[in-house]
Amino acid sequence: MKQFTVAAGDGYLLSAHSFGDARTARAGVLIVPAMGVEQHYYAPFAQWLAARGHFVVTFDYRGMGQSRRGTLRGFNADVLVWAQQDAAAVLAALRERTAGRPLLWIGHSLGGQILGMVPGHHAVDAMVTVATGSGYWRDYTPGLRRVAPLLWYVIVPVALPLAGYFPGRLLRMIGDVPAGVMRQ
């Protein structure tokens, strides 16, 4: 595992990790995270893929994990920025390192929803999504469906103006998330 940085289209520096050897890999694999999930969560899976001959890259969106710089209060990021700036830059970096080999996109939740918004997505040869739904609360699992209205109609509208971001760690719901991402 090697840590590196990727400059997003607007210059924001993103933390990324690579697994495996890009020169000998059968394919390049980008693991695109869920909202509020940091890249270290995917490390065991990335190592497993690398041991099977793939070159794998994980990353944190701006404001998340190792790509977070200071407070999220007033931090300017939304899902479109994550897709069009962050995921696009990491995909381009992966494509550069694995030139001529297939590119695979593994999207977890939000990571599976955003591919169509990512500039350069046409370079992806195959996609696998995990726990990727429409985001519509009535399609949630029964346990989550019961608390979803409370989250979206009470907790989020109260937490965002008070904290300036979604304080997920404090509330023990996902991780801390920029306000713009939660609003979208």
Side-chain angles (χ1 to χ4, degrees):
M1 176 175 76
K2 295 179 184 171
Q3 184 173 10
F4 64 103
T5 58
V6 176
D10 61 0
Y12 192 93
L13 294 179
L14 303 167
S15 171
H17 284 86
S18 65
F19 302 79
D21 186 348
R23 296 167 300 174
T24 61
R26 301 179 339 187
V29 179
L30 180 59
I31 299 178
V32 187
M35 179 173 59
V37 179
E38 298 176 15
Q39 66 179 311
H40 65 82
Y41 176 81
Y42 304 103
F45 181 50
Q47 291 167 341
W48 184 84
L49 288 168
R52 281 147 186 80
H54 296 85
F55 180 70
V56 185
V57 172
T58 63
F59 71 101
D60 287 320
Y61 300 111
R62 68 185 64 208
M64 300 298 307
Q66 295 176 355
S67 294
R68 183 173 175 173
R69 312 277 184 269
T71 183
L72 288 181
R73 179 178 285 280
F75 185 76
N76 187 21
D78 60 26
V79 174
L80 290 174
V81 168
W82 279 4
Q84 295 173 347
Q85 299 289 329
D86 300 357
V90 181
L91 178 61
L94 175 62
R95 186 172 59 229
E96 182 179 307
R97 292 174 182 214
T98 58
R101 277 161 285 161
L103 288 177
L104 313 175
W105 178 287
I106 299 178
H108 176 204
S109 189
L110 177 72
Q113 295 171 335
I114 64 172
L115 178 63
M117 297 183 281
V118 174
H121 72 274
H122 61 278
V124 173
D125 295 292
M127 175 183 186
V128 173
T129 64
V130 179
T132 300
S134 68
Y136 182 57
W137 69 273
R138 289 184 193 246
D139 290 336
Y140 290 174
T141 60
L144 191 54
R145 191 178 321 126
R146 284 190 289 278
V147 298
L150 178 65
L151 173 68
W152 294 116
Y153 298 112
V154 178
I155 297 171
V156 169
V158 169
L160 292 183
L162 286 176
Y165 65 99
F166 183 72
R169 284 198 177 124
L170 178 67
L171 299 172
R172 298 180 188 215
M173 303 172 140
I174 63 174
D176 293 344
V177 178
V181 174
M182 285 304 283
R183 280 190 200 100
Q184 276 186 317

